[in-house]
Amino acid sequence: MSDNQRDILNAVFSLLVILLAAMVTQRFFLPLVWAGILCIATWPLFTRLVAALGQRQLAGALVMTLATALVFVVPVLIAMTQMMHQAPVLANYLAEANNNGVPTPQWLSHIPFAGAAANDWWEATLTQPHGLSHLAEDGSLGRLHSASEVLKSFGASLMHRMVDFGLALLCLFFFYKDGPSLVRQLTAMGSHFLGDARWDRYATKVPTAIRATVNGLVLVGLAEGFVLGIGYGIAGVPSPALWAAGTGILAIIPFGAPLAFFSVAGVLLVNGSVGAAIAVAVLGMVVLFVADHFVRPAIIGSATKLPFLAVLFGILGGVETLGLVGLFIGPVVMTLFMTLWYEEKQFERAAPATPPL
């Protein structure tokens, strides 16, 4: 057997092993990705913690994992406590509204310009039995006839998410614990295939892009929820903390915040608080405009050196392709693409001029 044939067989064998490993672990892809994102985003804090603990890597990994879990678990527990008081009422309302239809509000027809069309659409869709089910993509609402079924469906989905969250925390602990060893292995592999200079150029971009995206999306989104939550409380919205938490989560996704604060404005409008509804809508639009046009592009673009369109397409394209995790993977991919783009431009400038024919 020649050396070329042996190299081909070795390549095929390696590819088969990688494919089989991917097939076996595909169920755990999302927890692994989330753990990697959290690990990279919080690694500077972890290194400071390990230094404060006298370079005890295992203790630092345990403390950091528990702290990360508390950051996510405590707000969820607070939100679930609020939801436990209102979930049965809300679930029963959704089931009854889906089975019997939702009456048309009297104020709907008085909306300037679009009132008649909105009133006709509401009567043709939402006032009909099972009208809400037509708004769901999979028609799942059509199979829910009672409050218990609504809560059962929500509980099953919540349990699935909690299992994924537990797996992500488990992976995160080992990423912290074995982080330096993983970095050395990845550096050795990357330098072998790409060369030292090119691997260093690309490897430094990924952590920067992830941290900038976390700061620009998560922190800014939570800040939007906090600011709007204050407005909800002043406007007299029922359970403003719960609405603020939902707004903060939706605000992480570009153009997701309007779904929250317009829903709040709608609740106020249905209850007859027209002035408060308009104030909440205006406040939401102002906060959204400032966050999406000034704060986020400044945080993400300045750190990753990406143009605004590259940041926007990376975020939206990532969500469209990969779901919520694509919020963080999309900007990373665009950062690597722009690095390749500038690299090719440098090669083009360094290449000798082509002699005329």
Side-chain angles (χ1 to χ4, degrees), residues 46-58:
F46 173 68
T47 55
R48 296 190 187 98
L49 177 63
V50 171
L53 294 175
Q55 301 302 323
R56 294 183 178 89
Q57 193 84 10
L58 181 61

Side-chain angles (χ1 to χ4, degrees), residues 9 23 34 45 81 107 122 135 137 157 163-164 168 237 251 266 276 283 293 315 326 333 338 346:
L9 287 177
M23 290 174 58
W34 279 117
L45 295 176
T81 302
W107 52 263
W122 191 294
L135 300 179
E137 293 179 355
S157 178
V163 170
D164 283 347
V237 180
L283 176 63
H293 290 80
I315 293 172
V333 172
M338 294 305 297
Q346 292 175 358

Side-chain angles (χ1 to χ4, degrees), residues 57-243:
Q57 193 84 10
L58 181 61
L62 182 60
V63 172
M64 195 67 185
T65 303
L66 292 176
T68 304
L70 288 176
V71 168
F72 287 94
V73 170
V74 171
V76 170
L77 290 178
I78 294 174
M80 289 185 65
T81 302
Q82 294 287 330
M83 292 176 62
M84 287 179 63
H85 298 290
Q86 301 181 19
V89 178
L90 179 61
N92 186 67
Y93 173 79
L94 289 176
E96 291 294 330
N98 184 55
N99 292 333
N100 303 321
V102 183
T104 306
Q106 296 181 356
W107 52 263
L108 190 63
S109 59
H110 300 293
I111 297 177
F113 304 109
N119 188 79
D120 293 341
W121 174 85
W122 191 294
E123 290 184 351
T125 305
L126 298 181
T127 58
Q128 306 300 320
H130 304 292
L132 287 176
S133 63
H134 297 297
L135 300 179
E137 293 179 355
D138 57 355
S140 57
L141 285 175
R143 298 189 294 272
L144 302 178
H145 301 287
S146 65
S148 61
E149 291 179 355
V150 175
L151 294 175
K152 185 183 298 183
S153 176
F154 174 77
S157 178
L158 180 62
M159 285 300 299
H160 179 75
R161 298 293 182 269
M162 292 301 294
V163 170
D164 283 347
F165 179 69
L167 290 173
L169 288 179
L170 180 65
C171 297
L172 180 63
F173 169 76
F174 286 101
F175 284 170
Y176 284 138
K177 174 179 172 292
D178 302 320
S181 176
L182 288 172
V183 170
R184 287 194 297 269
Q185 294 172 11
L186 289 174
T187 301
M189 293 175 58
S191 300
H192 175 73
F193 288 107
L194 299 180
D196 292 335
R198 200 177 193 202
W199 171 254
D200 290 339
R201 186 182 304 116
Y202 283 87
T204 56
K205 300 291 185 180
V206 174
T208 301
I210 289 178
R211 289 172 193 141
T213 305
V214 169
N215 293 334
L217 294 180
V218 178
L219 298 183
V220 174
L222 295 179
E224 288 184 53
F226 177 77
V227 173
L228 290 175
I230 296 175
Y232 298 160
I234 296 174
V237 180
S239 301
L242 184 60
W243 280 107

Side-chain angles (χ1 to χ4, degrees), residues 294-353:
F294 296 100
V295 181
R296 275 177 172 157
I299 293 176
I300 301 177
S302 61
T304 59
K305 309 300 181 185
L306 286 180
F308 173 77
L309 285 180
V311 174
L312 183 63
F313 291 162
I315 293 172
L316 297 181
V319 173
E320 177 69 22
T321 306
L322 300 173
L324 187 60
V325 75
L327 279 172
F328 308 95
I329 295 180
V332 172
V333 172
M334 293 305 297
T335 300
L336 296 178
F337 172 75
M338 294 305 297
T339 303
L340 178 64
W341 176 272
Y342 293 133
E343 186 180 71
E344 292 299 325
K345 289 179 67 176
Q346 292 175 358
F347 289 156
E348 182 180 344
R349 287 196 299 266

